[in-house]
């Protein structure tokens, strides 16, 4: 699983308020582990390594320490069901254009929150740099 995909999965999880999120993270600015107001690329990589380990623990049915194609499919299915349960405002079992827009907005807010180390509500040049490095 590449880092960008892992991060997007995290963003959906963050705004889905799943039990996995509650078990792994204490909040959106979990990345700044040394609380210096600056998120380093090392802190980002370490945080998502922990997140991936949690996903493997949760979905590794055969206990081999990796996610097989079937295990990944189960994970995706669970994530889709969680997303549908949260964002399917009209309850029709499908995501409309406006419901998909709500997901995009939540994802953008999660990205902003995850990299806003100083809690200013805006990303500084350093925070933008770390975000861009992490996601590209």
């Amino acid at each position: 699983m590449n880092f960008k995909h892992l991060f997007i999965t995290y963003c959906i999880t963050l705004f889905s308020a799943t039990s996995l999120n509650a078990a792994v993270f204490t909040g959106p600015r979990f990345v700044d582990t040394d609380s210096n107001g600056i998120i380093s690329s090392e802190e980002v990589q370490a945080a998502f390594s922990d997140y991936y380990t949690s996903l493997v623990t949760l979905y590794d049915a055969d206990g081999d320490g990796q996610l097989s194609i079937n295990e990944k499919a189960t994970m995706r299915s669970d994530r889709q069901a969680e997303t549908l349960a949260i964002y399917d405002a009209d309850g029709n079992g499908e995501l409309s254009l406006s419901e998909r827009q709500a997901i995009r907005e939540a994802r953008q807010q999660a990205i902003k929150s995850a990299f806003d180390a100083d809690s200013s509500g805006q990303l500084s040049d350093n925070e933008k740099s770390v975000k861009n490095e992490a996601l590209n």
Side-chain angles (χ1 to χ4, degrees):
M1 184 176 288
N2 69 40
F3 183 77
K4 189 172 185 177
H5 182 265
L6 186 61
F7 186 76
I8 289 171
T9 301
Y10 161 72
C11 289
I12 292 169
T13 302
L14 176 67
F15 278 85
S16 298
T18 63
S19 58
L20 176 63
N21 181 49
V24 178
F25 303 117
T26 58
R29 283 169 289 284
F30 68 93
V31 178
D32 186 21
T33 56
D34 61 9
S35 300
N36 68 352
I38 298 171
I39 301 171
S40 68
S41 58
E42 292 81 14
E43 287 172 317
V44 172
Q45 293 292 341
F48 287 102
S49 175
D50 291 346
Y51 180 65
Y52 182 74
T53 300
S54 296
L55 288 176
V56 170
T57 300
L58 188 61
Y59 289 101
D60 182 20
D62 61 13
D64 68 355
Q66 301 177 25
L67 294 180
S68 68
I69 291 172
N70 290 337
E71 292 162 342
K72 286 180 186 178
T74 300
M75 180 182 70
R76 266 191 295 280
S77 177
D78 287 355
R79 298 287 178 229
Q80 288 171 346
E82 290 170 2
T83 300
L84 191 62
I86 291 166
Y87 292 102
D88 182 19
D90 59 13
N92 70 350
E94 297 179 5
L95 294 174
S96 67
L97 187 59
S98 63
E99 291 164 342
R100 289 178 189 275
Q101 181 61 32
I103 293 170
R104 280 190 291 277
E105 290 170 6
R107 189 179 296 156
Q108 289 170 348
Q109 182 59 42
I111 290 169
K112 185 177 177 182
S113 294
F115 290 97
D116 184 17
D118 61 5
S119 303
S120 67
Q122 300 295 323
L123 295 183
S124 68
D125 289 341
N126 178 63
E127 291 164 342
K128 287 177 187 175
S129 176
V130 172
K131 179 192 83 159
N132 292 337
E133 181 181 332
L135 297 179
N136 292 325

